[in-house]
Amino acid sequence: MTYKSEIREGMRIDWDVAIPMADGVVLRCDVYRPEAEGRYPVILTYGPYGKWLSFQEGYPDQWGIMAKDHPDVTSGSSNRYQNWEVVDPEKWVPDGYAVVRVDSRGAGRSPGFMEVWSAQEAKDFYECIEWAAVQSWSNGKIGLNGISYYAMNQWQVASLQPPHLVAMCAWEGAADFYRDLAYHGGILCTFAANWYDMQVKTVQHGMGTKGRRSAVVDGWVAGPETLTAEALGANRCDFGADILAHPLDNCEYWQSRMPDWSKVTVPFLSSANWGGQGLHPRGNFEAFVRAASAEKWLEVHGIEHWTEFYTDYGVDLQKRFFGHFLKGEATGWDKQPRVQLQVRHIDRFVARMEEEWPIARTAWTKHYLNPADLTLSPSPVSAAGAVSYAGLGEGVTFLTPPMAAETEITGPMAAKLFVSSATEDADLFVVVRVFSPDMKEIVFQGALDPHTPIAQGWLRASHRKLDGKLSEPYRPYHSHDEKQPLTPGKVYELDVEIWASGIVVPAGYRLALTVRGRDYVYGGGTGRLASMKNEFTGVGPFLHDDPRDRPPRIFGGQVTLHGGGGKDAFLLLPVVPKR
C-alpha cells in the first residue's frame, strides 16, 4: 500500500507511510512536515493509541476539561490533528520540525502481534528512530516527546542507544513496570488490566469496521483490515493475565521491560506530576536520579495528567529544550536550572528553581507514631504501645499538632513501621494527608482523580526485603524477588516507600499518616472518566482490590501497629527550609 500525501493547514502530511522492521513486519506512521522541501529535526512517538483517532473523539472527557479550562491549548491551531498524549503538529511544524507518529506493532494501522512495552516494541522503536533519521525530509536529529506510554517507552529505547537519538522529553512516564505500574509494594494494581481493555484493545489493528472511522483522514482507525474476534485474540497478549502470572520481580518478564539506567545517556527532560500517585511520578524521579545522562533536567507540575503538556507553559518548556538540542538555537536552555518545580500550595502553584533532587538543603524530619493517643510526635515515644485494625479495613490515623509555622514538604518520603499480623501476611496502604484547622481534609486535583491526598505508599509485608544497594533512608527500595511469610503474632520491622510529593502546609494545619488495609477513599465520591472502568473514589483507577491477589484468609486478619518502648516507628518527611 502506497501512502497518500497532501497539504493541509500549511503542512505537508504523509499518511500511513511504511516503516519496514527487520523481521518483515511493516509498521505505519504519519509524517507532518513543513511545506518547503528541506531537512528538519524530528519529533517522534511510537505507541498503541491509534494515530488516526482524534483526541476529541477518543478522549472526550479529558479534551472537554482541558479545552474549557485552558484556552491557550486550543488557540493557534485548528485542533484537527490533536492526538492523545502526543504533540499537536500545528504548533511544532511551523517552527521547523517534522512530527512523526508511529502506530506500534499490532495497534492502529500497524499489523503484528501486540505485546505492550515488550523487548520487541523497544527494538521496533529503535528501528523507527533510525528509519526517520535517513529520510529525505530529516536532518538526522531525532527527539522523542510524549506523555505516559509515549514517555515510558522512551526509557526503554534510550537503553538501546539508537545512534540518531539526540534528546527526549518523557512527560509523566513510569519507568519500572513492576513497581510503578503492576505491583505497588508487591500488591497487585488492577489499573493495567483495565487500561488494556479500555484504551488498547479498542484500537488493536484489525478492529477495522468494528472500530472507529477516522475523523481526520478517510479510513478506519484500526484497519484497514477487519479481523474476527478469534484472530484479534490470537494477535495480542493477555496483559492482565501476564501480570497476574508474574507476582515477583525476579523474572525475564519484568526485567526485559526495565531500562538499564547505566545506558540511558541521552540528554532528557523528565516531567513529573505531584498528583500522579499510582503511576507516573515515581519513574520520572527515579530516571532523573539514576540515569547516566550528564545532561538531564527535572520538571514537576500539578493538575490533570494530560493538561500541562499542551498548555503554553508546557509547550514553551519543551520547545526551549528541543530548540537547544535539535536545532542549536539560543533558547536559554544552557542556563536552565536542573530542577524546575511548580511548588504546590493549598490554593496555587509557585514556580521555583533548584539544582538537584532530592533538594540538598532538605531537613529530613522524623515524626514518631504514638499508638496510645494516635499522634505524631517530634521525639521518640518512651512507653510501648500498640493499636490494631482489621486487615482489610480502614485502618488508623496519626495526627501532628497544628503546624506552628508554614512548612514545606517536598521530596521522597518513607515510613518505618513495626507490624504484627494474625495471619501470614498483611497489606499496608500508607497515606500522607493534610487537615485544616477545623479538621477538614485538604485534597487536590490529581493526575486523574479530582480529590487526591498528598502522597501514598504501599507494602505487602511478605515483600519487606530491601535491596541494600539501592535503598536510601528516604526511599526504601524493595527487591520483590521472594516472599517471606509472617509468623502470626510476631513483630516485624517494615520500611515503606512513600512516593515523592510536595506541599506547603500553612500554619495551623495538621499533617496525618493513615495506615490502612485497603485503598484510600475520599468521602463523597469523585466521578469518573469515560476511558476508565471504575468510579473514582480518591485514587482514580489505581485500585488494589482483586480478590485473587488479596484473599481474606491471608490478608483479612487483625493487623497491629507497635510503637514506643524502643520500637521507634516514624514517618520521615522532607522538610525544605526557605533559602
Side-chain angles (χ1 to χ4, degrees), residues 355-413:
E355 287 298 335
E356 68 287 306
W357 183 270
I359 298 169
R361 66 182 183 281
T362 298
W364 299 100
T365 304
K366 295 177 181 178
H367 293 262
Y368 294 89
L369 280 64
N370 189 340
D373 59 7
L374 300 183
T375 60
L376 291 171
S377 167
S379 302
V381 178
S382 57
V387 61
S388 298
Y389 62 89
L392 295 174
E394 296 183 359
V396 292
T397 297
F398 300 83
L399 278 166
T400 67
M403 292 287 176
E406 181 181 85
T407 303
E408 178 180 340
I409 297 163
T410 298
M413 310 176 203

Side-chain angles (χ1 to χ4, degrees), residues 115-132:
E115 187 177 9
V116 291
W117 292 301
S118 63
Q120 180 62 59
E121 276 203 356
K123 292 175 184 176
D124 289 347
F125 200 177
Y126 179 108
E127 290 189 51
C128 292
I129 291 167
E130 294 307 298
W131 172 87

Side-chain angles (χ1 to χ4, degrees), residues 404-531:
E406 181 181 85
T407 303
E408 178 180 340
I409 297 163
T410 298
M413 310 176 203
K416 182 176 287 291
L417 302 176
F418 292 85
V419 176
S420 61
S421 173
T423 59
E424 66 190 71
D425 215 337
D427 284 345
L428 305 179
F429 295 75
V430 177
V431 190
V432 178
R433 306 162 74 185
V434 171
F435 288 87
S436 66
D438 62 357
M439 290 305 296
K440 178 182 179 181
E441 184 174 8
I442 306 301
V443 290
F444 296 87
Q445 171 64 59
L448 292 170
D449 196 306
H451 301 94
T452 64
I454 300 306
Q456 297 180 78
W458 306 263
L459 183 63
R460 176 157 289 174
S462 61
H463 285 236
R464 63 191 177 276
K465 178 183 173 184
L466 294 172
D467 183 316
K469 292 182 178 179
L470 292 175
S471 284
E472 300 285 353
Y474 52 77
R475 201 273 277 118
Y477 193 98
H478 296 89
S479 302
H480 297 299
D481 58 1
E482 63 174 319
K483 291 183 179 180
Q484 299 178 333
L486 308 181
T487 298
K490 182 179 178 180
V491 179
Y492 293 86
E493 181 177 343
L494 308 180
D495 293 282
V496 183
E497 175 188 2
I498 301 172
W499 287 17
S501 189
I503 180 64
V504 176
V505 183
Y509 284 59
R510 297 172 187 255
L511 277 169
L513 177 71
T514 298
V515 183
R516 299 169 57 87
R518 64 187 186 192
D519 287 301
Y520 167 89
V521 175
Y522 173 75
T526 65
R528 63 168 298 184
L529 295 169
S531 59

Side-chain angles (χ1 to χ4, degrees), residues 9-72:
E9 314 295 344
M11 302 180 291
R12 166 68 65 182
I13 309 176
D14 303 329
W15 303 106
D16 254 5
V17 181
I19 309 179
M21 297 292 101
D23 64 356
V25 170
V26 176
L27 305 185
R28 296 286 170 178
C29 74
D30 296 335
V31 181
Y32 300 80
R33 52 193 172 93
E35 280 190 69
E37 293 297 322
R39 294 183 178 273
Y40 301 98
V42 177
I43 302 294
L44 186 144
T45 49
Y46 171 102
Y49 293 139
K51 60 186 176 60
W52 283 9
L53 179 61
S54 68
F55 194 143
Q56 299 91 320
E57 285 200 311
Y59 297 85
D61 290 352
Q62 291 91 324
W63 177 261
I65 294 168
M66 183 170 64
K68 174 179 175 290
D69 295 342
H70 301 276
D72 54 320

Side-chain angles (χ1 to χ4, degrees), residues 172-189:
E172 298 192 35
D176 183 325
F177 293 90
Y178 182 89
R179 291 166 182 79
D180 297 0
L181 172 71
Y183 286 92
H184 295 140
I187 308 169
L188 177 68
C189 179

